[in-house]
Amino acid sequence: MNTITGQGECTANFLFYNATDEFIGQAAHCAGTGAPTETSGCTSATMPLGTPVKIGGASKPGTLVYSSWITMVKDHEQDANTCSFNDLALVKIDPADRGKVNPSVPFFGGPTGISTTAINVGDRILTYGNSPLRAGLSPLSPKIGFSLGDEGGGWSHTCYTVTPGVPGDSGSAVLTGDGKALGVLTSLALAPVAGSNGVGDMSRELSYLNSHGGLGPVALALGTEAFHSPAP
């Protein structure tokens, strides 16, 4: 499923909920209005909360109700790693479309929970991207790869997949080898391996949201379809 915020088209990731509403996750930078080189959420320009967001398959637009970028600016966040890698936004689903949404990650199923432990170099990861650059060729959307290690004090995981994430895959759900939500695909890198991707850590991003977001307790919705990891 894709989301379109202004001129930015991204792949949605996970489904979230609080006591009253359901939300689709996307990368916060998908609503950015600055240059592609503006990657610090504490200094980059972005569209405001309340911005309508087109959701693929929905009859009505959703509404941008949380952005880590907006929240960090408002709260004068000073931690460099948080500013660089906290890249999560939530789009409130219109009540008319709530019954159309399934929390399962396409192809793989899950998530089965949230990854809260360190991921080791070489550990398996899985992700599903829906970039328009693939011209609707769904066999290219599921991607399997491995971790290249963490950075930013655990705020980000560098991963390599076949095929790599490309523009339009930003925001994609990334799973660990046992189906837990590892994070959100946020960047395309040239190092340590050309074509590798940065993945914002879901446990930290959701914790930040719940501490600063003003939406009440927000939780990750678990997949209703059983997780499966294809044979290596």
Side-chain angles (χ1 to χ4, degrees), residues 74-120:
K74 177 176 67 71
D75 290 351
H76 306 287
E77 179 61 57
Q78 298 297 312
D79 181 73
N81 289 329
T82 307
C83 288
S84 294
F85 301 114
N86 188 13
D87 193 355
L88 177 68
L90 295 188
V91 177
K92 179 182 173 181
I93 300 168
D94 189 278
D97 292 307
R98 287 180 61 165
K100 301 177 182 178
V101 181
N102 187 297
S104 305
V105 176
F107 187 81
F108 298 112
T112 60
I114 297 177
S115 175
T116 57
T117 58
I119 184 169
N120 299 313

Short mmCIF file of all heavy atoms in Angstrom, two decimals, residues 74-120:
data_model
loop_
_atom_site.label_atom_id
_atom_site.label_comp_id
_atom_site.label_asym_id
_atom_site.label_seq_id
_atom_site.Cartn_x
_atom_site.Cartn_y
_atom_site.Cartn_z
N LYS A 74 9.21 20.82 17.89
CA LYS A 74 8.38 21.42 18.94
C LYS A 74 8.98 21.23 20.32
O LYS A 74 8.94 22.14 21.17
CB LYS A 74 6.98 20.80 18.89
CG LYS A 74 6.02 21.28 19.98
CD LYS A 74 4.64 20.69 19.80
CE LYS A 74 4.63 19.18 20.02
NZ LYS A 74 4.82 18.81 21.45
N ASP A 75 9.58 20.05 20.54
CA ASP A 75 10.13 19.74 21.86
C ASP A 75 11.61 20.07 22.00
O ASP A 75 12.23 19.71 23.00
CB ASP A 75 9.90 18.26 22.17
CG ASP A 75 8.44 17.93 22.41
OD1 ASP A 75 7.62 18.87 22.50
OD2 ASP A 75 8.10 16.73 22.50
N HIS A 76 12.18 20.71 20.97
CA HIS A 76 13.58 21.14 21.01
C HIS A 76 14.53 19.97 21.31
O HIS A 76 15.42 20.06 22.15
CB HIS A 76 13.78 22.25 22.05
CG HIS A 76 12.86 23.42 21.88
ND1 HIS A 76 13.00 24.34 20.85
CD2 HIS A 76 11.76 23.81 22.58
CE1 HIS A 76 12.04 25.25 20.94
NE2 HIS A 76 11.27 24.95 21.97
N GLU A 77 14.31 18.88 20.58
CA GLU A 77 15.16 17.70 20.74
C GLU A 77 16.62 18.05 20.45
O GLU A 77 16.92 18.71 19.45
CB GLU A 77 14.69 16.59 19.80
CG GLU A 77 15.49 15.31 19.87
CD GLU A 77 15.47 14.67 21.24
OE1 GLU A 77 14.35 14.38 21.73
OE2 GLU A 77 16.56 14.50 21.82
N GLN A 78 17.53 17.59 21.32
CA GLN A 78 18.94 17.92 21.19
C GLN A 78 19.83 16.72 20.86
O GLN A 78 20.97 16.90 20.44
CB GLN A 78 19.45 18.56 22.50
CG GLN A 78 18.76 19.87 22.85
CD GLN A 78 19.02 20.96 21.82
OE1 GLN A 78 20.15 21.19 21.41
NE2 GLN A 78 17.95 21.62 21.37
N ASP A 79 19.33 15.51 21.05
CA ASP A 79 20.16 14.34 20.82
C ASP A 79 20.40 14.14 19.32
O ASP A 79 19.44 14.01 18.55
CB ASP A 79 19.51 13.10 21.42
CG ASP A 79 20.36 11.86 21.22
OD1 ASP A 79 21.39 11.73 21.90
OD2 ASP A 79 19.99 11.03 20.35
N ALA A 80 21.65 14.08 18.91
CA ALA A 80 21.98 14.02 17.48
C ALA A 80 21.47 12.75 16.83
O ALA A 80 20.99 12.77 15.69
CB ALA A 80 23.49 14.14 17.30
N ASN A 81 21.57 11.61 17.51
CA ASN A 81 21.10 10.36 16.92
C ASN A 81 19.59 10.35 16.74
O ASN A 81 19.07 9.89 15.72
CB ASN A 81 21.52 9.17 17.79
CG ASN A 81 23.01 8.91 17.73
OD1 ASN A 81 23.65 9.15 16.72
ND2 ASN A 81 23.57 8.43 18.83
N THR A 82 18.88 10.87 17.73
CA THR A 82 17.42 10.94 17.62
C THR A 82 17.03 11.84 16.45
O THR A 82 16.16 11.50 15.65
CB THR A 82 16.81 11.46 18.93
OG1 THR A 82 17.29 10.68 20.02
CG2 THR A 82 15.30 11.40 18.90
N CYS A 83 17.69 12.99 16.34
CA CYS A 83 17.39 13.92 15.24
C CYS A 83 17.65 13.28 13.88
O CYS A 83 16.89 13.48 12.92
CB CYS A 83 18.23 15.18 15.37
SG CYS A 83 17.74 16.29 16.71
N SER A 84 18.71 12.49 13.78
CA SER A 84 19.11 11.93 12.49
C SER A 84 18.26 10.74 12.05
O SER A 84 18.03 10.55 10.86
CB SER A 84 20.58 11.49 12.54
OG SER A 84 21.42 12.60 12.70
N PHE A 85 17.78 9.94 13.02
CA PHE A 85 17.20 8.65 12.65
C PHE A 85 15.74 8.45 13.06
O PHE A 85 15.13 7.45 12.66
CB PHE A 85 18.05 7.52 13.24
CG PHE A 85 19.48 7.54 12.76
CD1 PHE A 85 20.52 7.80 13.64
CD2 PHE A 85 19.78 7.31 11.43
CE1 PHE A 85 21.84 7.82 13.21
CE2 PHE A 85 21.10 7.33 10.98
CZ PHE A 85 22.12 7.59 11.87
N ASN A 86 15.16 9.35 13.84
CA ASN A 86 13.76 9.21 14.25
C ASN A 86 12.88 9.70 13.11
O ASN A 86 12.69 10.90 12.94
CB ASN A 86 13.52 10.01 15.53
CG ASN A 86 12.15 9.77 16.13
OD1 ASN A 86 11.45 8.83 15.76
ND2 ASN A 86 11.77 10.62 17.07
N ASP A 87 12.33 8.78 12.33
CA ASP A 87 11.70 9.13 11.04
C ASP A 87 10.40 8.36 10.88
O ASP A 87 10.27 7.49 10.02
CB ASP A 87 12.69 8.80 9.91
CG ASP A 87 12.28 9.39 8.57
OD1 ASP A 87 11.19 9.98 8.47
OD2 ASP A 87 13.06 9.25 7.61
N LEU A 88 9.42 8.67 11.72
CA LEU A 88 8.13 7.97 11.69
C LEU A 88 6.99 8.97 11.71
O LEU A 88 7.03 9.95 12.46
CB LEU A 88 8.01 7.04 12.90
CG LEU A 88 6.67 6.29 13.05
CD1 LEU A 88 6.50 5.26 11.93
CD2 LEU A 88 6.59 5.61 14.41
N ALA A 89 5.98 8.71 10.90
CA ALA A 89 4.76 9.51 10.91
C ALA A 89 3.56 8.57 10.93
O ALA A 89 3.64 7.42 10.46
CB ALA A 89 4.69 10.42 9.68
N LEU A 90 2.45 9.05 11.47
CA LEU A 90 1.20 8.29 11.47
C LEU A 90 0.14 9.06 10.72
O LEU A 90 -0.02 10.27 10.89
CB LEU A 90 0.72 8.03 12.90
CG LEU A 90 1.57 7.14 13.81
CD1 LEU A 90 0.81 6.85 15.10
CD2 LEU A 90 1.97 5.85 13.12
N VAL A 91 -0.60 8.32 9.91
CA VAL A 91 -1.72 8.86 9.14
C VAL A 91 -3.00 8.23 9.69
O VAL A 91 -3.15 6.99 9.67
CB VAL A 91 -1.57 8.55 7.64
CG1 VAL A 91 -2.78 9.06 6.86
CG2 VAL A 91 -0.27 9.15 7.11
N LYS A 92 -3.91 9.05 10.18
CA LYS A 92 -5.18 8.55 10.70
C LYS A 92 -6.06 8.10 9.54
O LYS A 92 -6.27 8.83 8.57
CB LYS A 92 -5.89 9.64 11.51
CG LYS A 92 -7.24 9.23 12.07
CD LYS A 92 -7.88 10.38 12.82
CE LYS A 92 -9.30 10.05 13.25
NZ LYS A 92 -9.93 11.19 13.96
N ILE A 93 -6.57 6.88 9.64
CA ILE A 93 -7.44 6.33 8.61
C ILE A 93 -8.86 6.86 8.82
O ILE A 93 -9.37 6.85 9.95
CB ILE A 93 -7.43 4.79 8.68
CG1 ILE A 93 -6.01 4.26 8.46
CG2 ILE A 93 -8.39 4.18 7.66
CD1 ILE A 93 -5.85 2.80 8.79
N ASP A 94 -9.49 7.31 7.76
CA ASP A 94 -10.87 7.77 7.86
C ASP A 94 -11.75 6.60 8.33
O ASP A 94 -11.58 5.46 7.89
CB ASP A 94 -11.36 8.28 6.50
CG ASP A 94 -12.70 8.96 6.60
OD1 ASP A 94 -13.74 8.26 6.61
OD2 ASP A 94 -12.72 10.20 6.67
N PRO A 95 -12.72 6.86 9.22
CA PRO A 95 -13.58 5.78 9.70
C PRO A 95 -14.25 4.98 8.59
O PRO A 95 -14.50 3.77 8.75
CB PRO A 95 -14.61 6.52 10.56
CG PRO A 95 -13.90 7.74 11.04
CD PRO A 95 -13.00 8.14 9.91
N ALA A 96 -14.50 5.61 7.45
CA ALA A 96 -15.15 4.91 6.34
C ALA A 96 -14.29 3.80 5.77
O ALA A 96 -14.80 2.88 5.11
CB ALA A 96 -15.51 5.90 5.24
N ASP A 97 -12.97 3.85 6.03
CA ASP A 97 -12.05 2.89 5.43
C ASP A 97 -11.42 1.93 6.43
O ASP A 97 -10.61 1.08 6.05
CB ASP A 97 -10.93 3.64 4.70
CG ASP A 97 -11.44 4.38 3.48
OD1 ASP A 97 -12.10 3.73 2.64
OD2 ASP A 97 -11.20 5.59 3.37
N ARG A 98 -11.81 2.02 7.69
CA ARG A 98 -11.14 1.19 8.69
C ARG A 98 -11.31 -0.30 8.44
O ARG A 98 -10.40 -1.09 8.69
CB ARG A 98 -11.65 1.56 10.09
CG ARG A 98 -11.12 2.89 10.57
CD ARG A 98 -11.62 3.26 11.95
NE ARG A 98 -11.22 2.31 12.97
CZ ARG A 98 -11.28 2.56 14.27
NH1 ARG A 98 -11.72 3.74 14.69
NH2 ARG A 98 -10.91 1.65 15.14
N GLY A 99 -12.45 -0.72 7.91
CA GLY A 99 -12.67 -2.13 7.66
C GLY A 99 -11.91 -2.68 6.47
O GLY A 99 -11.89 -3.90 6.25
N LYS A 100 -11.26 -1.80 5.70
CA LYS A 100 -10.54 -2.24 4.51
C LYS A 100 -9.07 -2.54 4.78
O LYS A 100 -8.36 -2.99 3.88
CB LYS A 100 -10.62 -1.15 3.43
CG LYS A 100 -12.04 -0.79 3.01
CD LYS A 100 -12.02 0.35 2.00
CE LYS A 100 -13.42 0.77 1.59
NZ LYS A 100 -13.40 1.92 0.65
N VAL A 101 -8.61 -2.29 5.99
CA VAL A 101 -7.18 -2.36 6.30
C VAL A 101 -6.86 -3.65 7.03
O VAL A 101 -7.54 -4.03 7.99
CB VAL A 101 -6.75 -1.15 7.15
CG1 VAL A 101 -5.27 -1.21 7.44
CG2 VAL A 101 -7.09 0.15 6.43
N ASN A 102 -5.81 -4.33 6.57
CA ASN A 102 -5.31 -5.52 7.26
C ASN A 102 -3.89 -5.24 7.74
O ASN A 102 -3.07 -4.73 6.98
CB ASN A 102 -5.31 -6.72 6.31
CG ASN A 102 -4.97 -8.03 7.01
OD1 ASN A 102 -3.87 -8.19 7.54
ND2 ASN A 102 -5.91 -8.96 7.01
N PRO A 103 -3.57 -5.55 9.00
CA PRO A 103 -2.25 -5.21 9.53
C PRO A 103 -1.12 -6.11 9.06
O PRO A 103 0.04 -5.85 9.38
CB PRO A 103 -2.44 -5.34 11.04
CG PRO A 103 -3.52 -6.36 11.19
CD PRO A 103 -4.46 -6.12 10.03
N SER A 104 -1.42 -7.17 8.31
CA SER A 104 -0.39 -8.11 7.90
C SER A 104 0.52 -7.51 6.83
O SER A 104 0.06 -6.83 5.91
CB SER A 104 -1.02 -9.39 7.35
OG SER A 104 -1.91 -9.96 8.28
N VAL A 105 1.81 -7.77 6.95
CA VAL A 105 2.76 -7.34 5.92
C VAL A 105 2.55 -8.20 4.68
O VAL A 105 2.50 -9.44 4.78
CB VAL A 105 4.21 -7.49 6.42
CG1 VAL A 105 5.21 -7.14 5.32
CG2 VAL A 105 4.44 -6.60 7.64
N PRO A 106 2.38 -7.59 3.50
CA PRO A 106 2.16 -8.39 2.29
C PRO A 106 3.27 -9.43 2.08
O PRO A 106 4.43 -9.19 2.41
CB PRO A 106 2.17 -7.35 1.17
CG PRO A 106 1.77 -6.07 1.84
CD PRO A 106 2.35 -6.15 3.22
N PHE A 107 2.90 -10.57 1.56
CA PHE A 107 3.77 -11.67 1.18
C PHE A 107 4.32 -12.44 2.39
O PHE A 107 4.26 -13.66 2.44
CB PHE A 107 4.93 -11.19 0.31
CG PHE A 107 5.77 -12.32 -0.25
CD1 PHE A 107 5.35 -13.01 -1.38
CD2 PHE A 107 6.96 -12.69 0.34
CE1 PHE A 107 6.11 -14.06 -1.89
CE2 PHE A 107 7.72 -13.73 -0.16
CZ PHE A 107 7.29 -14.42 -1.28
N PHE A 108 4.86 -11.72 3.39
CA PHE A 108 5.52 -12.38 4.52
C PHE A 108 4.59 -12.67 5.69
O PHE A 108 4.87 -13.54 6.51
CB PHE A 108 6.69 -11.53 5.02
CG PHE A 108 7.77 -11.32 4.01
CD1 PHE A 108 8.00 -10.07 3.47
CD2 PHE A 108 8.56 -12.38 3.58
CE1 PHE A 108 8.99 -9.86 2.53
CE2 PHE A 108 9.56 -12.19 2.64
CZ PHE A 108 9.78 -10.92 2.11
N GLY A 109 3.49 -11.92 5.83
CA GLY A 109 2.69 -12.02 7.03
C GLY A 109 3.35 -11.32 8.20
O GLY A 109 4.36 -10.63 8.04
N GLY A 110 2.79 -11.51 9.41
CA GLY A 110 3.30 -10.76 10.55
C GLY A 110 2.89 -9.29 10.45
O GLY A 110 2.08 -8.94 9.58
N PRO A 111 3.38 -8.44 11.32
CA PRO A 111 4.41 -8.69 12.33
C PRO A 111 3.90 -9.49 13.52
O PRO A 111 2.71 -9.49 13.82
CB PRO A 111 4.82 -7.28 12.77
CG PRO A 111 3.55 -6.47 12.60
CD PRO A 111 2.90 -7.04 11.36
N THR A 112 4.84 -10.17 14.18
CA THR A 112 4.51 -10.98 15.35
C THR A 112 4.79 -10.23 16.65
O THR A 112 4.52 -10.77 17.73
CB THR A 112 5.33 -12.27 15.33
OG1 THR A 112 6.74 -11.94 15.36
CG2 THR A 112 5.04 -13.09 14.08
N GLY A 113 5.33 -9.04 16.56
CA GLY A 113 5.68 -8.24 17.72
C GLY A 113 6.67 -7.17 17.28
O GLY A 113 6.83 -6.90 16.09
N ILE A 114 7.35 -6.57 18.24
CA ILE A 114 8.36 -5.54 17.97
C ILE A 114 9.72 -6.05 18.42
O ILE A 114 9.86 -6.56 19.54
CB ILE A 114 8.03 -4.22 18.69
CG1 ILE A 114 6.70 -3.66 18.18
CG2 ILE A 114 9.14 -3.19 18.48
CD1 ILE A 114 6.26 -2.40 18.90
N SER A 115 10.71 -5.91 17.58
CA SER A 115 12.07 -6.30 17.94
C SER A 115 12.63 -5.30 18.95
O SER A 115 12.64 -4.09 18.69
CB SER A 115 12.96 -6.34 16.70
OG SER A 115 14.30 -6.61 17.04
N THR A 116 13.08 -5.80 20.08
CA THR A 116 13.62 -4.93 21.13
C THR A 116 15.06 -5.27 21.49
O THR A 116 15.61 -4.70 22.43
CB THR A 116 12.75 -5.02 22.40
OG1 THR A 116 12.70 -6.39 22.83
CG2 THR A 116 11.34 -4.52 22.13
N THR A 117 15.67 -6.19 20.77
CA THR A 117 17.04 -6.58 21.05
C THR A 117 17.94 -6.19 19.87
O THR A 117 17.46 -5.94 18.77
CB THR A 117 17.15 -8.09 21.29
OG1 THR A 117 16.65 -8.79 20.14
CG2 THR A 117 16.34 -8.50 22.51
N ALA A 118 19.23 -6.14 20.12
CA ALA A 118 20.18 -5.77 19.08
C ALA A 118 20.13 -6.78 17.93
O ALA A 118 19.93 -7.98 18.14
CB ALA A 118 21.59 -5.70 19.65
N ILE A 119 20.29 -6.28 16.72
CA ILE A 119 20.36 -7.15 15.56
C ILE A 119 21.83 -7.28 15.17
O ILE A 119 22.57 -6.29 15.13
CB ILE A 119 19.50 -6.61 14.40
CG1 ILE A 119 19.51 -7.59 13.22
CG2 ILE A 119 19.92 -5.22 13.97
CD1 ILE A 119 18.49 -7.26 12.15
N ASN A 120 22.26 -8.49 14.92
CA ASN A 120 23.67 -8.75 14.66
C ASN A 120 23.99 -8.70 13.18
O ASN A 120 23.12 -8.92 12.33
CB ASN A 120 24.05 -10.13 15.21
CG ASN A 120 23.86 -10.24 16.70
OD1 ASN A 120 24.27 -9.35 17.45
ND2 ASN A 120 23.22 -11.31 17.15
#
